Amino acid sequence: MTALTRRERLRAELERDAKAAARRIAAEEGIEGLTLAAVARGVGVTPPALYRYFNGRAGLIRAIYDDITAEFIDTVDRAARRQDPDDVSAQLHAATQAVLDWSLANKVEFDLLMGAGFAKIAESEEGIPVVIARELGGLFGQLFARLWNEGRLTCPADEEIDPVLATQLRTYRSEVGLEFPIGVVFLMVVCWRQIYGLLCMAVYGHHKFAFDDLQPLFEHMIDDLLGLLGLKRSPNLRLR
């Protein structure tokens, strides 16, 4: 393997430091405060110097978005892989718990991937609207595919789904790269609808006056979702 030249090492270090500075700024000031000038000050270079690395503010935002997405998906994937490979219930449970735990531990990053910050950049940066759906949906989709192929899912037939909804589900299936009936996609979306609602309650503190700990609600939800998929909670679940 060819060793990096000094110039290549310096470039890699600057990119790493700039992205770290960008994440700190986003955490402190929100996505609005994330400018090339602010990041340049944080790493001790001029703004034009960063243009060579990130192609402006949009390129910088996309770079940290991709890094955060990769970290998030890796966390969820590792949680699923810690389980028995034949235990789909445990894999679904562990992966969903990892989504909640990561979101609570990384609220600013959650906001960028799936919250208000996402809405502010999704329209301006090509491809971002489908990144997290494709990555996270693809990960969970593998488990849903196993359940479908093994005949363990009960889902509505295509003709039983509202035509407008069916069109939306087909679009989602195409973008995420899923290869099973839209009735299975429907089950995935129904599950995500509940999970996302709980995530927003947890991250943004909705009803925190009563639900300061969302884990009991999570436990109730996960049993409901596993039941919807014809599964029961696995006794062999390994969360840590």
Side-chain angles (χ1 to χ4, degrees):
M1 191 173 188
T2 304
L4 295 177
T5 66
R6 181 175 182 275
R7 184 175 181 178
E8 290 171 334
R9 288 197 305 272
L10 292 174
R11 178 187 176 93
E13 289 172 5
L14 180 56
E15 288 182 357
R16 183 194 64 223
D17 292 346
K19 288 191 283 188
R23 291 179 66 164
R24 287 196 303 271
I25 292 167
E28 295 169 1
E29 303 179 31
I31 197 69
E32 298 87 352
L34 184 55
T35 66
L36 217 61
V39 174
R41 286 194 300 271
V43 295
V45 299
T46 63
L50 290 184
Y51 272 94
R52 286 176 287 174
Y53 298 89
F54 298 108
N55 191 28
R57 180 176 184 268
L60 177 63
I61 290 174
R62 181 57 189 261
I64 65 170
Y65 182 91
D66 288 344
D67 279 1
I68 292 168
T69 299
E71 292 173 14
F72 173 50
I73 296 300
D74 181 64
T75 297
V76 178
D77 185 51
R78 283 189 287 108
R81 290 181 182 277
R82 280 196 294 269
Q83 314 308 312
D84 183 327
D86 295 324
D87 193 339
V88 179
S89 173
Q91 291 177 70
L92 286 168
H93 189 155
T96 308
Q97 181 72 61
V99 170
L100 176 62
D101 292 345
W102 183 92
S103 299
L104 281 171
N106 300 275
K107 293 182 180 180
V108 171
E109 288 83 355
F110 171 89
D111 193 68
L112 183 62
L113 294 190
M114 293 178 272
F118 168 82
K120 293 173 183 176
I121 66 172
E123 294 183 0
S124 62
E125 182 62 25
E126 183 179 354
I128 276 185
V130 299
V131 170
I132 195 65
R134 184 177 296 138
E135 296 294 330
L136 191 60
L139 193 157
F140 277 91
Q142 295 175 30
L143 299 175
F144 274 75
R146 282 186 57 185
L147 293 174
W148 168 252
N149 291 331
E150 293 170 5
R152 299 166 68 181
L153 286 181
T154 300
C155 58
D158 290 7
E159 61 272 13
E160 296 174 332
I161 300 173
D162 176 270
V164 175
L165 177 57
T167 298
Q168 295 170 335
L169 293 170
R170 290 189 182 95
T171 299
Y172 177 84
R173 179 177 64 181
S174 175
E175 289 290 350
V176 176
L178 305 175
E179 297 182 358
F180 38 63
I182 61 170
V184 181
V185 180
F186 174 73
L187 289 182
M188 283 186 63
V189 173
V190 167
C191 290
W192 180 244
R193 181 178 65 192
Q194 293 197 47
I195 294 166
Y196 185 69
L198 187 70
L199 293 178
C200 289
M201 284 183 67
V203 171
Y204 298 123
H206 295 303
H207 300 323
K208 190 175 181 179
F209 64 89
F211 301 99
D212 58 329
D213 178 4
L214 270 294
Q215 193 62 36
L217 271 181
F218 175 87
E219 299 296 338
H220 184 272
M221 178 192 72
I222 200 70
D223 285 332
D224 278 354
L225 296 183
L226 290 173
L228 179 67
L229 305 178
L231 302 171
K232 294 182 179 179
R233 185 182 293 235
S234 172
N236 301 314
L237 178 68
R238 297 191 294 269
L239 292 179
R240 297 289 184 273

